[in-house]
Amino acid sequence: MKIRLIFSILLFITLNVLIVSFPDSGNPFVVVPDITTTSDVVTSCTFSILSGSCSSWSEVPNQLLEIPEECSDSLWSKVILTFTAQEQGVQYDRFGAIWIGDIEVVRTTTPEPTDSGITWTFDRDISVYSEYIRSTKNISTYISIPNNVDSTYTGIIQVELTLTVYLATDEELSSGSFEDPPYVLPLTSAPSSSSFPWNVMQVSGSESLSYEVTLSEYATEAYVELYASAHGCEEFYYSNVPSDSSEETGICGGGSYRELQVYIDGYLAVAAYPFPTIYSGGINPFLWRPVGGIMSFSVAPRRLDITPYLHLLNDGLSHNISVTVFGNNPQSGYWYLDASLLLYNHESSNEKSAISSDLYVYDSSPQVQETTAISRSLSISFDTVGYHYFQTSRVLTYSDGSTSSRTVDGKLVMHNTNEVKGITTEVTSQRTLSEITSKSTSADGVVSKLTTIDDFPLYVYDYYSEDLTTMDLEAHVNYTYHRHKRYFTSPSIKSSAKILSSDYMTRSNPVIVLPDKGLDNAEADDNEIEVFSISWNDGIAAAAAYNRSLDHTLVYVEDGISLEKFTVSSASDDNCFDSATVADNGFAIKNDVISNDCSLPSDLNLCEYDLCGNIALTSFELIKPMKSFTSSVSKLSGVFASSNTIESIKELLSIDSSDHLSLNRKESLRQPRSESSQLTIRNSRSVYKAESLRN
């Protein structure tokens, strides 16, 4: 709850007394699939890129990047960054980021340490930045984890960063499976823009980060890579109440609807929902010991397709690209955004020979409906439904009258219910569902299409109470990351792209058209063949209770349990990654990886919650058709066609308890651990347990 957030800030400023740190626990870890490589025969080199400590708020340790000679002159097929850290004592969870040059490569949060100390590590595939890292001269690695260290909060974070570089093999180079990595253009350039990078990354309310961009080289495909994390009153944005109810409830305002948005020259290019990342100490720290939350160690960036705007950006003139968070709370809430531009140039493309281009932009703008109800028990319930439909489509015309097109089509829907019970309890249920399709049709009629469906259900029970001497926190969290990617292609069929009107096709300069509805070219055609699909399902159910004295010198209850089930499935491999993890009171009692062997097309590989490698849509390798991988969540077209969109969304996004992993509830009476203490646990309540998992 946001009430608890305010109390936590007050507790930060305490008291030069000996406080009780967390009990010993296993080293923190997160469960993710192994990062795969495209070849079994590889040559690699591993080298340190930074070693330092984070002990103050504003320091930014940095180290000049020195690539070993044996790796500097060869092409790189893969680059893995390994983060390893140690911390001991008493400290809160902290946020942080890592940059190589001006490119952010990691957004992270840190776990809370123990007296005996903790060590944690994770890998991140940063191959998409490989050519920038390899070829940019005199760049450094930077890390910023703003930290406060004093006689009470003693934890200093010691960090070691290494790169492992895999050289492109002769097989990859000769077979043509090696694709040149994109040209990476930093937009935010945080390390070189400020001595404290976060200063240039922060946005609040309706603020945006704006960049003037001039492309020096022609590009045929473009993506904005956007790192985003919520802080202050935005950290738990999904449980924020409408602004006009903030003062009454004592909870942060702004409502619960959020979108990440990219604009080019003032026109919407693309939008996406953020994943509700819960940081390593979020809601209740005993939820995340030792198993971290989904993306808590490595907050994945959103890769957003802006290719339809390229014929505009390719004119050699300056253009404005801006990023923002729709719904961002102006009341002491803020987001940190950091953006880079990924540019591909496919030499086989004939786009330069086009005699005219037209850009169609449709934007419904986010539509949000908030309703409030007060029950007889004086609990307040907030119901929020939101949706957004957008489409951008670029059509190129050639001298022979043929056309090619690139379309990005987005459908986003969200439903959130939030019940506030007095000043102690808040119960939030939310589900966001989005379907974003990128579709490219060449002049000879070959279609390449990628549809990404993201489904993020979330349930949070959050209790906070205190008397004159004691505070009590109890929580139950249940949330899931579900992503489903589907690749389609079609044989060459000579046809014109679907356009609204041929009247616009006679102009030589790019023309921006604002139709009153989207183009009908995002749905699957009869001749389109699904050639590959893959799905991620990572679900966590966790419960915790924490009861201590207000001065943090005595702790009475420390209890937590979590269950995580993570699978990855493709059309050809059911559950090619399958893991089950159970943690109880700070230690993993089960951590089984049942399978970890996913077969992917030769130019793609698995990395955490997405695909890495050759992500460019128009160069995706055509493989033989696989069995259909159906999805029950791809029903958004019907929602937007409905006469009552709001009610259709509520029906579609109804959250059944069976959608979540379950923990059984157990009532238990909490007793003080210290018999000498005169303090009482006045607010101790029940905590969720999973007795069957403990046996």
Side-chain angles (χ1 to χ4, degrees):
M1 283 181 78
K2 307 306 172 298
I3 302 172
R4 190 196 64 237
L5 179 63
I6 297 171
F7 286 138
S8 298
I9 294 171
L10 293 176
L11 289 169
F12 267 41
I13 315 173
T14 61
L15 316 172
N16 288 320
V17 295
L18 180 62
I19 72 173
V20 179
S21 64
F22 289 137
D24 283 346
S25 64
N27 283 324
F29 67 96
V30 290
V31 178
V32 292
D34 288 346
I35 297 175
T36 58
T37 59
T38 57
S39 174
D40 295 330
V41 183
V42 294
T43 301
S44 64
C45 54
T46 300
F47 52 97
S48 174
I49 60 171
L50 187 144
S51 181
S53 62
C54 301
S55 58
S56 72
W57 193 260
S58 59
E59 69 177 331
V60 184
N62 60 88
Q63 180 176 312
L64 182 68
L65 180 67
E66 297 180 340
I67 302 172
E69 185 176 349
E70 62 269 24
C71 286
S72 60
D73 295 330
S74 301
L75 293 175
W76 298 352
S77 64
K78 183 176 287 295
V79 182
I80 307 299
L81 183 146
T82 299
F83 175 105
T84 303
Q86 297 178 328
E87 189 177 6
Q88 183 177 7
V90 179
Q91 195 52 265
Y92 290 88
D93 58 318
R94 303 297 186 186
F95 62 87
I98 299 165
W99 296 263
I100 298 180
D102 277 333
I103 300 294
E104 182 172 346
V105 295
V106 171
R107 181 72 57 91
T108 189
T109 65
T110 66
E112 301 189 5
T114 64
D115 265 344
S116 59
I118 58 173
T119 299
W120 70 101
T121 187
F122 63 88
D123 293 332
R124 172 151 169 73
D125 188 323
I126 60 171
S127 304
V128 72
Y129 317 118
S130 61
E131 190 58 22
Y132 173 87
I133 297 170
R134 189 181 73 88
S135 61
T136 307
K137 305 300 181 185
N138 300 319
I139 59 173
S140 295
T141 302
Y142 303 84
I143 186 169
S144 175
I145 303 178
N147 194 14
N148 286 322
V149 176
D150 55 27
S151 59
T152 301
Y153 301 103
T154 57
I156 297 175
I157 304 165
Q158 307 284 345
V159 178
E160 179 74 29
L161 304 177
T162 61
L163 282 189
T164 299
V165 172
Y166 295 87
L167 306 185
T169 65
D170 292 339
E171 176 187 356
E172 289 172 321
L173 295 174
S174 61
S175 66
S177 63
F178 180 82
E179 181 78 10
D180 289 337
Y183 171 71
V184 183
L185 179 65
L187 296 179
T188 311
S189 300
S192 62
S193 300
S194 173
S195 59
F196 186 59
W198 306 97
N199 286 341
V200 299
M201 297 161 58
Q202 181 173 316
V203 295
S204 182
S206 60
E207 295 175 347
S208 62
L209 298 184
S210 184
Y211 319 102
E212 295 300 318
V213 175
T214 302
L215 299 189
S216 58
E217 295 186 9
Y218 193 88
T220 59
E221 199 161 347
Y223 301 84
V224 169
E225 182 120 304
L226 181 61
Y227 287 87
S229 56
H231 302 269
C233 257
E234 284 289 280
E235 180 176 345
F236 308 103
Y237 64 89
Y238 41 81
S239 57
N240 283 12
V241 300
S243 293
D244 57 7
S245 298
S246 179
E247 184 176 352
E248 176 186 3
T249 60
I251 298 174
C252 294
S256 56
Y257 189 91
R258 299 293 181 274
E259 280 185 22
L260 305 176
Q261 298 179 337
V262 179
Y263 285 82
I264 297 177
D265 288 347
Y267 297 99
L268 180 75
V270 64
Y273 287 133
F275 178 77
T277 305
I278 302 174
Y279 305 143
S280 303
I283 302 176
N284 187 314
F286 285 88
L287 293 167
W288 318 116
R289 300 173 63 255
V291 183
I294 300 171
M295 294 190 194
S296 62
F297 285 4
S298 180
V299 183
R302 294 305 302 252
R303 187 165 293 159
L304 305 171
D305 189 356
I306 63 166
T307 303
Y309 280 85
L310 265 183
H311 222 64
L312 183 68
L313 297 175
N314 277 326
D315 64 6
L317 302 178
S318 177
H319 294 276
N320 180 270
I321 298 178
S322 62
V323 294
T324 190
V325 180
F326 178 87
N328 193 357
N329 168 27
Q331 303 167 337
S332 70
Y334 52 95
W335 289 68
Y336 289 126
L337 306 179
D338 196 352
S340 299
L341 195 57
L342 309 181
L343 299 168
Y344 292 84
N345 182 11
H346 306 295
E347 295 182 357
S348 60
S349 170
N350 65 342
E351 291 180 3
K352 284 185 178 181
S353 64
I355 60 173
S356 67
S357 69
D358 297 87
L359 176 63
Y360 299 93
V361 180
Y362 176 76
D363 178 16
S364 74
S365 74
Q367 304 296 309
V368 182
Q369 176 182 287
E370 297 174 333
T371 57
T372 302
I374 301 177
S375 70
R376 292 182 179 180
S377 62
L378 299 183
S379 67
I380 306 176
S381 298
F382 304 95
D383 187 278
T384 303
V385 178
Y387 63 91
H388 189 186
Y389 176 54
F390 64 90
Q391 187 182 92
T392 58
S393 187
R394 178 198 66 191
V395 179
L396 302 181
T397 302
Y398 302 91
S399 58
D400 63 357
S402 62
T403 61
S404 66
S405 65
R406 177 64 170 250
T407 298
V408 175
D409 180 277
K411 303 180 183 74
L412 285 67
V413 296
M414 168 267 202
H415 186 205
N416 177 289
T417 61
N418 190 17
E419 184 178 9
V420 179
K421 301 177 180 180
I423 63 171
T424 63
T425 306
E426 187 174 12
V427 181
T428 302
S429 292
Q430 176 175 287
R431 187 175 173 193
T432 61
L433 177 62
S434 63
E435 180 178 290
I436 299 177
T437 295
S438 295
K439 181 176 180 179
S440 177
T441 304
S442 68
D444 58 2
V446 175
V447 172
S448 301
K449 188 170 82 171
L450 167 63
T451 295
T452 301
I453 299 170
D454 286 336
D455 189 8
F456 304 148
L458 168 75
Y459 171 85
V460 177
Y461 170 90
D462 189 6
Y463 174 89
Y464 177 95
S465 185
E466 68 174 53
D467 56 23
L468 296 177
T469 58
T470 310
M471 62 170 285
D472 188 42
L473 289 85
E474 301 190 16
H476 181 195
V477 173
N478 205 323
Y479 69 140
T480 300
Y481 176 97
H482 172 75
R483 168 166 286 181
H484 184 193
K485 285 195 165 189
R486 307 176 69 191
Y487 287 87
F488 299 85
T489 191
S490 74
S492 175
I493 299 177
K494 191 74 171 181
S495 63
S496 297
K498 299 174 185 176
I499 59 176
L500 290 181
S501 171
S502 60
D503 295 342
Y504 298 107
M505 305 310 297
T506 60
R507 299 166 179 149
S508 58
N509 296 323
V511 175
I512 298 177
V513 183
L514 302 177
D516 59 3
K517 64 178 182 178
L519 305 181
D520 183 23
N521 62 357
E523 300 301 322
D525 293 329
D526 291 339
N527 62 321
E528 290 179 6
I529 302 168
E530 181 175 316
V531 295
F532 180 69
S533 64
I534 188 166
S535 181
W536 292 257
N537 268 294
D538 187 6
I540 290 181
Y546 183 35
N547 190 297
R548 65 167 171 81
S549 61
L550 291 180
D551 64 4
H552 213 151
T553 61
L554 294 168
V555 176
Y556 307 119
V557 177
E558 301 166 318
D559 198 3
I561 187 169
S562 65
L563 164 68
E564 180 173 14
K565 180 67 174 176
F566 193 171
T567 62
V568 180
S569 303
S570 72
S572 57
D573 293 311
D574 292 335
N575 290 359
C576 57
F577 174 79
D578 190 351
S579 71
T581 306
V582 181
D584 191 357
N585 276 326
F587 294 91
I589 60 175
K590 179 180 181 180
N591 185 21
D592 295 340
V593 177
I594 302 164
S595 61
N596 192 1
D597 185 19
C598 293
S599 300
L600 303 176
S602 61
D603 50 355
L604 293 174
N605 48 80
L606 198 61
C607 57
E608 299 175 356
Y609 296 94
D610 211 335
L611 294 175
C612 293
N614 180 19
I615 63 166
L617 175 62
T618 52
S619 59
F620 182 76
E621 179 187 354
L622 174 62
I623 57 179
K624 68 178 183 179
M626 297 182 176
K627 66 179 182 181
S628 176
F629 192 92
T630 59
S631 171
S632 62
V633 301
S634 182
K635 302 175 181 178
L636 293 180
S637 295
V639 167
F640 285 93
S642 169
S643 59
N644 191 332
T645 301
I646 295 294
E647 291 304 317
S648 296
I649 291 172
K650 287 184 178 181
E651 182 179 352
L652 176 65
L653 299 188
S654 60
I655 302 176
D656 187 271
S657 59
S658 62
D659 292 339
H660 295 295
L661 297 175
S662 62
L663 289 176
N664 298 323
R665 185 174 183 175
K666 175 189 175 185
E667 303 292 338
S668 58
L669 179 65
R670 299 302 182 187
Q671 299 295 335
R673 292 192 177 188
S674 172
E675 296 297 333
S676 62
S677 169
Q678 300 302 308
L679 302 178
T680 57
I681 307 179
R682 303 189 184 193
N683 295 309
S684 182
R685 305 172 71 252
S686 64
V687 68
Y688 295 87
K689 292 293 182 185
E691 288 299 321
S692 61
L693 297 176
R694 285 196 165 105
N695 295 334

